[in-house]
Amino acid sequence: MPATTDDRARVVRGACPHDCPDTCATLTTVRDGRAILFKADPEHPITQGWLCAKVRPYLDRVYHPDRLLYPLRRVGPKGSGRWERISWDEAIAEITSRWKAIIAEHGAAAILPYSYSGTLGLVQNTVTAARLWNRMGASGLERSICGAAAETAVQMTYGARWAPAMADVEHSKLVLIWGHNPASTSPHFMPFLRRAQRNGTRVVVIDPRRTRTARSADLHLRPRPATDGALALGMMHVIFRDGLHDEEWLEAHTVGWRDLRDRAAEYPPERVAAITGLPAEQIVALARDFATTKPALLKFSDGVQRHGNGGQTARALACLPAVAGQVGRRGGGLFYSTSDYVSWDGEAVSHASECPPVPRIVNMNRLGAALQGEVTDPPIMALYVFCANPAASTPDRGAILAGLQREDLFTVVHELFMTDTAQYADIVLPATSQLEHVDLHKGYGHRFLQYNHAAIPPLGEAKSDWDVMRLLAAAMGYDEPWLQQSAEEVIAEILDATRARNPWLEGITLERLQREGTVPIGAEVANLVPFADGRFPTPSGKLELRCDALAAMGLDPVPDWTPPAEFADLAWDDPADRRLVLISGAAHHFVSSSLANVPKLAALEGTPYVEINPEDAAARGIADGDDVVVENARGWCRLRAVVTDDVPPGVAVSPKGFWGIHSPYDRNINNTTSAALADLAGQSTFHSNLVEIRPAAAAVSDVTVHPLAAPAGES
């Protein structure tokens, strides 16, 4: 931690904790115990001295006047905002006494921890989500809200999520960016892409919306939402039909290529054109370009698979580079995630072998239904929320709020702010920010580990997630030493255990991480071209275009396309069908709901809005800037209309992340989203969402598909 010339100030190395593949390296200047400057590390190979718009004003978050600084107990009705300050001793005693009573009456399965990606740290997230709850025998949580279908699909196809280095895109001659907007969600990829473009690389973006990334592409294709799998199969049809596949490579290195060829034969360009809304000749041209331009890269992320058919969509996208002969080439292949270069040792993380079996698993996307009786024997009687704000970010928000208001549900929320979820808690505990605790991070868009030193003391009485787990474990009477380790001891234990089976971690120790901050995963990985040797860590040792493990799960082992159930009766070309497909993708200035309460960022993002095509707006009597009601059978919210041809007819876009309590009528877009699960891995289906949009001042009319209570003040 080098010092500045002012001997009262020091510079502390850290890592951005938020859910972004870039995992930036940061430098915090501290004087007299207060952070006075937060900036990017200019020496980090990915961060390269600049931070995204979301994180630049990070000190505004750390020193936000609304930070929770002391434990609070609810003294009024749930959601009333009436609290009293209590001590940590009182809070821990009340929580654990309530838990012990619940365990005595219902068993530990009646207690549900709920967390996700408020931080991606090994200690404050991964370990905190495992050890205490395993020891207690609490219900497990299926954390499948973000990328479960794509993660599973890529692992089952390739055996591991290994992606090329970001810099290798400069070797690409063609890049397909598919259902992904890295300008907003992986911004440090963009300088590498821009350099490639300046050197002649062609970029094609496939996305219904004209995103920031699409604006600078050489070609932008706009298929209908949830038809991406059909488009990929149509491209494979052309590649096989025209003899553009590398049959020798497919025969040697894949399983099931003939099965996939037979499936792709069912998707001629004319059929795919009818499904996607794209011209058949455009599909043919793209397929030929992708197969004949060497090397070519396909880059996708998680938004494209948040549909009811997300698993098969991700499978089709993962298979396409193999059929096109792009896998194993520098600058070619698939870029989804780098997460599996290092997979932390599961036993060291969880100590599961020393704990009772997990009694059941609750899917996080079904939280509202679970709290309202879908989960029984025993019912969920206690909820502990950390690193998450489900009342803002989880689908079917209305059901979640109804569940949180149960008088017999004991809810604890550990947070930095009084979020949508915290306002319904019985006990609220103050959490530390990234500058106030120790952690270790690995990127899922690059190949570096990043150590986060605590830069400043915790504000007020805030405590880290892991420190609270230690207090709760002791009060519950659990005396296992792994429940009382320091954060540094946790990191050292997991590193040692993981290094023993992963040679790419050789020489990476706690001490080295603390000293250097940024440490690359093994030297062998630095220049690795994924799967260049033709070997894949799958059961067969080959790339599995036909995946028999999926067949064993009762799923189609070969990629196919069916529309999401929500879209089954959607008539794209019928003017009488006034429903729009609502996509709730990432906001440019928030990370899901994190940072949405930072004033500078909220001002940049603007009031909650929905983009609607001029054709659809005119048919509904909506003008740019009008207040509109977005509604379906699940609920409604009120938004500002942005009339723009950035979205095609039949599609609307409203970015996620706005807190309900900062939105009109305490509602956000997740009042309309579905808690239905996708075809693989319990995946969320946020984007399989049909809505009506009408002027807010208009009465509910006959064109409203589902009659709903109108907002206050409307007839």
Side-chain angles (χ1 to χ4, degrees):
M1 294 183 289
T4 65
T5 54
D6 183 342
D7 61 11
R8 294 182 305 152
R10 59 195 180 97
V11 177
V12 182
R13 294 187 181 276
C16 176
H18 294 291
D19 192 355
C20 169
D22 298 3
T23 313
C24 288
T26 62
L27 300 174
T28 304
T29 303
V30 180
R31 179 179 293 125
D32 298 329
R34 184 176 177 88
I36 58 172
L37 181 63
F38 182 81
K39 64 179 185 178
D41 185 347
E43 298 178 2
H44 191 277
I46 304 301
T47 307
Q48 296 186 352
W50 62 277
L51 295 173
C52 71
K54 303 174 180 71
V55 176
R56 280 198 294 269
Y58 198 72
L59 295 187
D60 291 356
R61 172 179 167 88
V62 174
Y63 294 112
H64 196 297
D66 293 340
R67 274 287 299 271
L68 293 169
L69 301 178
Y70 309 101
L72 301 172
R73 176 196 289 128
R74 177 175 62 86
V75 294
K78 290 193 175 186
S80 67
R82 293 168 55 191
W83 308 91
E84 66 177 359
R85 177 178 167 181
I86 58 175
S87 68
W88 270 102
D89 288 344
E90 290 176 291
I92 296 298
E94 182 166 342
I95 293 167
T96 54
S97 66
R98 291 285 296 270
W99 283 355
K100 290 174 182 178
I102 289 169
I103 292 170
E105 182 175 356
H106 299 281
I111 299 173
L112 177 68
Y114 189 103
S115 64
Y116 199 63
S117 60
T119 171
L120 295 188
L122 171 62
V123 179
Q124 309 303 340
N125 187 330
T126 307
V127 172
T128 301
R131 290 191 181 183
L132 172 63
W133 313 109
N134 287 345
R135 174 62 182 84
M136 186 185 295
S139 284
L141 185 71
E142 187 175 12
R143 292 177 170 85
S144 52
I145 199 168
C146 182
E151 292 163 7
T152 304
V154 171
Q155 287 172 327
M156 287 190 158
T157 307
Y158 289 77
R161 293 169 294 168
W162 294 345
M166 284 190 185
D168 278 357
V169 74
E170 297 180 44
H171 295 275
S172 305
K173 300 301 182 185
L174 174 65
V175 179
L176 299 189
I177 299 179
W178 202 315
H180 176 32
N181 181 22
S184 292
T185 61
S186 182
H188 287 82
F189 174 73
M190 297 306 291
F192 297 105
L193 184 66
R194 294 284 182 260
R195 282 196 289 272
Q197 285 182 285
R198 288 194 292 270
N199 291 327
T201 300
R202 288 189 300 120
V203 175
V204 177
V205 170
I206 302 173
D207 196 308
R209 185 191 190 206
R210 186 184 297 119
T211 61
R212 290 173 184 253
T213 305
R215 291 181 189 282
S216 59
D218 298 284
L219 177 65
H220 177 203
L221 304 185
R222 307 173 82 172
R224 292 166 177 159
T227 66
D228 304 271
L231 177 56
L233 285 161
M235 291 174 64
M236 287 186 266
H237 175 102
V238 174
I239 293 168
F240 282 124
R241 183 197 68 188
D242 294 355
L244 301 177
H245 59 292
D246 185 340
E247 187 165 323
E248 182 179 354
W249 190 91
L250 290 171
E251 188 67 33
H253 299 297
T254 72
V255 171
W257 75 267
R258 289 181 175 84
D259 299 301
L260 181 57
R261 180 184 61 185
D262 292 344
R263 179 59 51 77
E266 302 171 15
Y267 289 87
E270 295 73 22
R271 181 191 175 199
V272 175
I275 292 169
T276 63
L278 298 175
E281 58 271 21
Q282 202 168 49
I283 297 165
V284 172
L286 180 63
R288 289 173 175 167
D289 281 352
F290 190 62
T292 59
T293 306
K294 299 291 195 314
L297 181 72
L298 193 161
K299 189 176 194 301
F300 81 99
S301 191
D302 292 323
V304 71
Q305 48 88 70
R306 290 182 187 145
H307 281 288
N309 58 10
Q312 287 288 46
T313 295
R315 278 275 289 150
L317 295 182
C319 291
L320 179 56
V323 172
Q326 302 292 355
V327 174
R329 300 173 182 268
R330 189 175 300 279
L334 182 72
F335 194 137
Y336 171 65
S337 170
T338 62
S339 290
D340 289 342
Y341 288 116
V342 174
S343 297
W344 301 121
D345 184 88
E347 176 62 19
V349 167
S350 67
H351 286 263
S353 68
E354 303 175 56
C355 301
V358 177
R360 66 183 177 196
I361 304 292
V362 177
N363 187 293
M364 69 188 311
N365 298 302
R366 302 290 302 170
L367 178 63
L371 293 178
Q372 293 190 86
E374 182 175 82
V375 173
T376 59
D377 195 26
I380 296 171
M381 302 302 297
L383 182 69
Y384 186 96
V385 180
F386 65 101
C387 292
N389 182 12
S393 297
T394 299
D396 200 0
R397 182 173 184 266
I400 292 170
L401 295 184
L404 290 173
Q405 291 178 73
R406 276 176 40 202
E407 285 301 324
D408 63 342
L409 178 70
F410 177 61
T411 301
V412 180
V413 174
H414 186 205
E415 254 293 356
L416 280 80
F417 302 100
M418 188 61 69
T419 62
D420 287 13
T421 309
Q423 67 177 344
Y424 290 97
D426 297 283
I427 300 286
V428 176
L429 304 174
T432 47
S433 72
Q434 183 75 346
L435 271 58
E436 299 158 54
H437 57 234
V438 164
D439 219 331
L440 178 62
H441 294 258
K442 63 170 183 171
Y444 62 92
H446 60 65
R447 303 163 173 178
F448 297 88
L449 299 180
Q450 187 68 36
Y451 191 84
N452 185 79
H453 291 274
I456 59 174
L459 271 62
E461 295 179 6
K463 295 185 183 297
S464 73
D465 295 302
W466 177 239
D467 283 345
V468 176
M469 292 297 106
R470 299 199 297 172
L471 291 173
L472 291 168
M476 290 295 291
Y478 305 148
D479 57 6
E480 288 81 358
W482 42 268
L483 288 169
Q484 293 302 325
Q485 290 175 317
S486 67
E488 293 85 353
E489 290 169 334
V490 169
I491 293 169
E493 177 194 357
I494 296 172
L495 268 176
D496 290 345
T498 307
R499 190 188 314 109
R501 58 177 181 79
N502 186 342
W504 290 337
L505 290 180
E506 183 179 355
I508 301 179
T509 63
L510 171 67
E511 293 74 21
R512 182 182 172 193
L513 287 162
Q514 290 174 322
R515 182 174 63 253
E516 299 179 22
T518 298
V519 175
I521 298 167
E524 181 183 349
V525 177
N527 294 308
L528 178 70
V529 176
F531 314 111
D533 59 3
R535 294 184 294 177
F536 299 84
T538 59
S540 65
K542 297 183 177 183
L543 191 153
E544 299 200 352
L545 301 173
R546 185 194 71 242
C547 181
D548 294 332
L550 286 173
M553 296 163 58
L555 303 172
D556 196 326
V558 180
D560 202 357
W561 178 84
T562 55
E566 176 115 344
F567 296 176
D569 64 343
L570 178 62
W572 279 100
D573 299 319
D574 185 354
D577 192 340
R578 295 174 61 87
R579 295 171 296 173
L580 303 176
V581 177
L582 179 67
I583 297 173
S584 46
H588 187 71
H589 297 97
F590 310 150
V591 184
S592 191
S593 68
S594 294
L595 309 172
N597 67 324
V598 175
K600 288 180 183 177
L601 300 178
L604 288 168
E605 196 65 27
T607 56
Y609 64 93
V610 60
E611 295 178 342
I612 182 171
N613 183 268
E615 179 181 315
D616 293 324
R620 291 159 177 77
I622 294 169
D624 187 62
D626 283 354
D627 286 345
V628 296
V629 172
V630 179
E631 59 187 349
N632 58 23
R634 291 177 287 269
W636 59 269
C637 62
R638 185 164 171 159
L639 302 171
R640 172 176 54 89
V642 175
V643 179
T644 173
D645 61 4
D646 284 350
V647 295
V651 177
V653 171
S654 182
K656 64 182 179 178
F658 291 96
W659 295 8
I661 56 177
H662 295 162
S663 303
Y665 302 101
D666 191 13
R667 291 167 181 264
N668 72 9
I669 204 65
N670 279 324
N671 283 87
T672 71
T673 53
S674 172
L677 303 181
D679 55 347
L680 181 63
Q683 172 65 44
S684 63
T685 59
F686 286 104
H687 300 334
S688 292
N689 184 21
L690 293 179
V691 301
E692 284 276 354
I693 301 181
R694 60 179 173 84
V700 178
S701 67
D702 293 338
V703 300
T704 304
V705 177
H706 304 289
L708 299 168
E714 293 191 20
S715 58

